[in-house]
Amino acid sequence: MKQGKINACFVGCDRVAANGDTANKIGTSGVAVLAKHYGIPFYVFCPSTTIDFNCKTGQDIKIEEREAEEIKTKFYEKPMAPEGVKCYNPAFDVTDSELITAIVTEKGICRYPYTESLSALFGRDNDDCKKINR
């Protein structure tokens, strides 16, 4: 990105909150932060079924925590951490809506502020979405 060799970032996601925060595999949020820093557009592609208008923000998205053994021993010939080391192994991270250039669905493209654009695209009452996002 720093070298100017990236023109845009495209990612998928597993869930979209009503305010446009998105949950995707670990590392997605970091890519979004870097893209913002370097002025590179960051697009999220998802089916409309991933949009949850009852989920206010990314803070309301329950993040699956996987077993610690997955990153300590599961895929390795020898353990990768000393016995007894505690591990935090979330399956997803949340990308803040302010970092996302657009959310692309099969029904159309939404832009920030997502509370308004998502509700307009999906025929939701914007006042209801504002209540959801308080």
Side-chain angles (χ1 to χ4, degrees), residues 9-27:
C9 298
F10 300 97
V11 299
C13 76
D14 293 274
R15 191 145 179 222
V16 180
N19 75 333
D21 291 348
T22 62
N24 196 39
K25 302 301 180 253
I26 288 293

Side-chain angles (χ1 to χ4, degrees), residues 79-131:
M80 291 289 112
E83 191 172 326
V85 167
K86 293 182 181 179
C87 295
Y88 176 57
N89 188 15
F92 305 99
D93 61 19
V94 175
T95 301
D96 295 333
S97 61
E98 295 86 2
L99 299 172
I100 300 169
T101 305
I103 296 174
V104 181
T105 75
E106 76 280 8
K107 296 186 184 266
I109 299 171
C110 295
R111 296 188 183 277
Y112 191 86
Y114 294 104
T115 301
E116 295 173 15
S117 62
L118 286 168
S119 63
L121 182 63
F122 291 95
R124 304 284 297 210
D125 182 346
N126 197 29
D127 287 336
D128 286 343
C129 289
K130 285 180 182 173
K131 288 176 192 167

Side-chain angles (χ1 to χ4, degrees), residues 20-90:
D21 291 348
T22 62
N24 196 39
K25 302 301 180 253
I26 288 293
T28 306
S29 182
V31 172
V33 169
L34 286 169
K36 184 75 152 188
H37 177 78
Y38 289 110
I40 299 167
F42 183 87
Y43 299 97
V44 173
F45 287 74
C46 64
S48 60
T49 55
T50 63
I51 301 167
D52 185 351
F53 286 99
N54 294 315
C55 181
K56 299 175 189 179
T57 72
Q59 291 181 345
D60 299 312
I61 298 173
K62 182 164 174 40
I63 302 299
E64 171 192 347
E65 289 187 40
R66 295 188 176 161
E67 295 293 322
E69 296 308 309
E70 184 177 290
I71 56 176
K72 290 168 44 176
T73 62
K74 187 173 183 178
F75 299 107
Y76 307 105
E77 191 174 305
K78 296 186 265 180
M80 291 289 112
E83 191 172 326
V85 167
K86 293 182 181 179
C87 295
Y88 176 57
N89 188 15

